[in-house]
Amino acid sequence: MDYKSPKTIFALMKDKLPTEEDKALISKAFYFSKRAHEGQLRASGEPYFGHVVETAKNLARYGMDAMTISAGLLHDTIEDGKAKEAEVKKEFGKEIYFLVSGVTKLGKLKYSGRERHVESLRKFFVAVAEDFRVVMIKLADRLHNLQTLNYVKPEKQKRIALESLEVYAPLAHRLGIAKLKGEIEDAAFPYVYPKEFKEVTKLLEEKKETKEKIVKKVEKEIVRKLQSENIQVLKTSSRVKHKYSLWRKLQRHHMDIDKIYDILALRVIVPTIEDCYRALGIVHSMWKPFPERLKDYIALPKLNGYQSLHTTIFNGEGALIEVQIRTMEMHGLAEYGIASHFAYKEFINKNGKKKPTQDGKYAWIKQFQTIKNDNEKADAFMKDLKMDFFNDRIFIFTPKGDVLDLPADSSPIDFAYSIHTDIGDHCSGAIVNGKMVPLSKKLQNGDIVDIITKESSKPTSKWLDYVKTAIAKKHIKSKVGDNGFLASLWGRFRNQ
Ligand code: MN
């Protein structure tokens, strides 16, 4: 590898071409880091500096700005290199220093087993809430470490790879960066499950070629037909399913690869949402759809913001093909998630500093801010949150048609607290799909829920048995607490 100049990094900044100023900043970080890591070698015997350049290249690929890329180049200069904190601060300013020290802090604490994963997740969430770019650098760093894992001792290999599957990949998923999630999982997969990795690789190789032929044919016909119906096709692409997610899916289908219809999915990118639905209709007029597999993620986006129409069609020759229809903006979001928002939108905060936006779609991030700097409470909260994070989600509607997503088995109380703390605190009853129900009722996907509030209503400790969300538990506990009885006495006393 040639690490003589930062040109390879510039070449990857294709979404947003670097300005002269950007180039100057990245170059400065490049040579500063090169000096700081001089003489240092990686386990592979390669110069250490190569690792930070590869990290920076990953950041450029994911559309990060010059400041984040520079911080990526500098991310190991203090901890592993020869640079001093004061030096980095003086040369690159407070903001880059903040990013570098943020990455360093994320890497420090070590726990064992499950506890460690919970703690790592918590640290990540706090970091995301503080500044998403810190986590992005950490993910880019981890990806390169995984790609060079074969040089590391076997017992360390497995630990790093497992942690990547349990902490880093779910985090990338939650941030909607599907591509990065897939890359991390596939790099970690062979170290954690070597036998299964080989098996999946073999299965995939056997199927890929025939599948590719079929998809090519379908692709040609769709493009021709859409054009004849005056729908502009901006782009088509087919993606092979990532190996790790294929394996997860195979496990649910008794390892029968013929049951997996999206090994190779065809993506069709059209200009507008209206075009998406029209294109879907046209595709269905050409081939019969497989009814259970029609998904409208445009009307009901996934929790991480993903939008697209998915349909699986019978191609007429005995094969099933998944077709995904979306706009260019949705496509960017699908691949880059929160990073695509970051790449396109910035806002100036109070201090006049540019910061990445945290769009409403990522409102859950704000929850983490409330647990910052409070380790004891955070632990319990984190466990609840981890449940939220990995459980199945259901979509619940307000009578006005707004959608809220909640963990499966949530109750009307969870719903009430997700709307507003006051509504939760004073919730006295619930109407689900027009019928009065007890507050212990388990909500179902698609329910329409109307909450009845009363000024005199208050949370009771019984509610804790009904709720699933961390946010509801937190508020109820703060009202009834461990001193629930005393608190309620005090409440009554005060209200007299
Ligand atoms: Mn590193």
Side-chain angles (χ1 to χ4, degrees):
M1 276 294 175
D2 174 25
Y3 297 121
K4 288 200 182 72
S5 92
K7 276 192 192 129
T8 47
I9 301 172
F10 301 153
L12 290 164
M13 297 171 74
K14 48 182 183 275
D15 286 342
K16 256 207 213 163
L17 289 177
T19 62
E20 286 311 309
E21 212 180 310
D22 289 342
K23 285 186 183 171
L25 178 64
I26 293 169
S27 297
K28 189 177 168 189
F30 184 92
Y31 294 110
F32 181 97
S33 175
K34 193 168 191 176
R35 275 195 305 278
H37 290 296
E38 194 149 46
Q40 229 185 325
L41 297 178
R42 296 263 288 171
S44 61
E46 301 261 321
Y48 195 96
F49 181 58
H51 161 66
V52 299
V53 175
E54 291 302 327
T55 302
K57 279 161 79 177
N58 283 337
L59 290 165
R61 258 191 324 126
Y62 280 92
M64 294 291 101
D65 66 351
M67 223 175 220
T68 314
I69 294 170
S70 303
L73 283 164
L74 299 168
H75 84 271
D76 280 332
T77 52
I78 298 171
E79 214 190 0
D80 302 312
K82 285 174 266 187
K84 297 270 175 299
E85 285 185 23
E87 232 180 318
V88 173
K89 210 187 269 176
K90 187 174 150 262
E91 292 294 320
F92 296 95
K94 259 194 199 152
E95 201 169 343
I96 288 186
Y97 171 72
F98 167 80
L99 296 176
V100 174
S101 61
V103 176
T104 311
K105 262 191 259 159
L106 270 180
K108 255 181 192 157
L109 282 161
K110 287 238 163 79
Y111 288 73
S112 57
R114 252 212 123 69
E115 281 305 303
R116 188 192 64 221
H117 291 146
V118 170
E119 179 58 21
S120 314
L121 271 171
R122 189 184 73 80
K123 276 196 295 168
F124 273 117
F125 294 147
V126 172
V128 169
E130 217 156 48
D131 194 322
F132 146 74
R133 295 174 296 176
V134 170
V135 172
M136 211 46 210
I137 297 169
K138 196 70 194 168
L139 289 168
D141 167 52
R142 174 52 60 105
L143 179 59
H144 184 251
N145 285 336
L146 282 170
Q147 285 161 344
T148 50
L149 207 55
N150 51 328
Y151 299 106
V152 171
K153 283 192 203 112
E155 51 304 349
K156 213 176 155 195
Q157 281 177 349
K158 185 147 185 203
R159 180 181 68 74
I160 292 172
L162 191 63
E163 185 186 52
S164 303
L165 290 182
E166 289 202 9
V167 178
Y168 289 76
L171 185 70
H173 172 66
R174 198 50 191 260
L175 295 173
I177 319 167
K179 209 172 160 164
L180 187 50
K181 171 196 174 250
E183 287 186 32
I184 288 174
E185 283 180 345
D186 278 7
F189 188 17
Y191 296 98
V192 183
Y193 306 102
K195 207 177 105 248
E196 292 80 353
F197 174 76
K198 275 193 199 126
E199 195 183 343
V200 169
T201 306
K202 194 168 153 268
L203 277 172
L204 196 61
E205 232 109 82
E206 285 166 6
K207 283 279 156 193
K208 227 175 91 180
E209 214 177 311
T210 36
K211 279 271 174 190
E212 262 165 3
K213 271 190 204 139
I214 298 169
V215 167
K216 276 246 159 64
K217 204 171 155 209
V218 167
E219 178 180 348
K220 246 192 183 160
E221 288 178 51
I222 288 183
V223 170
R224 213 183 43 214
K225 182 80 176 164
L226 290 185
Q227 278 166 349
S228 77
E229 301 274 349
N230 287 321
I231 296 179
Q232 199 191 345
V233 178
L234 296 176
K235 191 179 164 184
T236 57
S237 66
S238 52
R239 68 107 186 91
V240 181
K241 202 171 180 63
H242 280 284
K243 286 180 184 172
Y244 184 72
S245 69
L246 174 59
W247 176 59
R248 295 286 299 265
K249 210 162 182 179
L250 277 166
Q251 285 179 306
R252 298 196 296 270
H253 293 91
H254 312 288
M255 298 304 283
D256 181 359
I257 196 152
D258 292 321
K259 292 264 158 60
I260 316 289
Y261 307 126
D262 62 345
I263 297 171
L264 206 72
L266 175 65
R267 286 171 179 160
V268 181
I269 320 288
V270 293
T272 66
I273 291 178
E274 202 195 323
D275 291 331
C276 291
Y277 288 105
R278 276 186 61 211
L280 180 73
I282 292 167
V283 168
H284 286 175
S285 74
M286 299 167 73
W287 300 283
K288 279 219 179 334
F290 189 21
E292 283 146 57
R293 295 195 39 99
L294 175 59
K295 302 255 166 62
D296 184 350
Y297 293 120
I298 293 181
L300 289 175
K302 285 191 188 177
L303 183 62
N304 61 18
Y306 177 84
Q307 286 189 299
S308 193
L309 297 174
H310 289 191
T311 186
T312 301
I313 49 139
F314 296 92
N315 79 330
E317 291 166 36
L320 285 157
I321 302 294
E322 180 167 307
V323 182
Q324 304 175 349
I325 305 168
R326 51 175 82 146
T327 65
M328 207 43 123
E329 198 195 346
M330 291 172 194
H331 187 57
L333 207 106
E335 305 251 292
Y336 299 112
I338 195 171
S340 82
H341 283 255
F342 175 68
Y344 299 121
K345 287 188 236 160
E346 284 174 321
F347 73 91
I348 310 290
N349 75 3
K350 278 181 286 187
N351 316 321
K353 260 196 328 188
K354 269 187 184 175
K355 275 199 121 189
T357 52
Q358 281 169 356
D359 194 272
K361 275 185 182 127
Y362 299 99
W364 57 271
I365 288 173
K366 291 194 195 106
Q367 290 185 14
F368 304 123
Q369 264 153 344
T370 63
I371 58 164
K372 241 178 9 197
N373 308 324
D374 191 346
N375 274 306
E376 277 169 45
K377 260 195 215 160
D379 235 30
F381 183 77
M382 196 48 225
K383 280 191 184 115
D384 296 339
L385 202 60
K386 207 177 168 220
M387 292 300 293
D388 282 9
F389 198 79
F390 296 110
N391 270 357
D392 284 344
R393 311 290 300 192
I394 49 174
F395 291 100
I396 305 298
F397 295 80
T398 69
K400 280 187 194 150
D402 292 328
V403 195
L404 280 171
D405 59 85
L406 296 169
D409 292 338
S410 285
S411 67
I413 303 169
D414 290 299
F415 179 79
Y417 275 110
S418 314
I419 297 174
H420 197 277
T421 312
D422 270 346
I423 297 181
D425 281 346
H426 297 291
C427 154
S428 70
I431 298 169
V432 173
N433 306 329
K435 273 195 205 124
M436 195 73 191
V437 300
L439 289 174
S440 58
K441 161 108 182 143
K442 285 181 181 173
L443 298 176
Q444 304 292 315
N445 202 11
D447 278 350
I448 301 169
V449 181
D450 199 2
I451 298 291
I452 302 160
T453 57
K454 243 194 241 154
E455 201 40 49
S456 58
S457 277
K458 281 190 188 65
T460 69
S461 51
K462 194 90 197 107
W463 284 15
L464 289 171
D465 300 336
Y466 308 149
V467 297
K468 282 278 176 280
T469 55
I471 200 86
K473 280 183 194 162
K474 183 187 139 207
H475 285 301
I476 298 166
K477 277 182 191 155
S478 79
K479 287 283 173 347
V480 298
D482 293 326
N483 310 315
F485 178 66
L486 283 178
S488 72
L489 263 186
W490 169 245
R492 243 179 284 164
F493 171 74
R494 219 179 23 177
N495 286 340
Q496 271 172 359

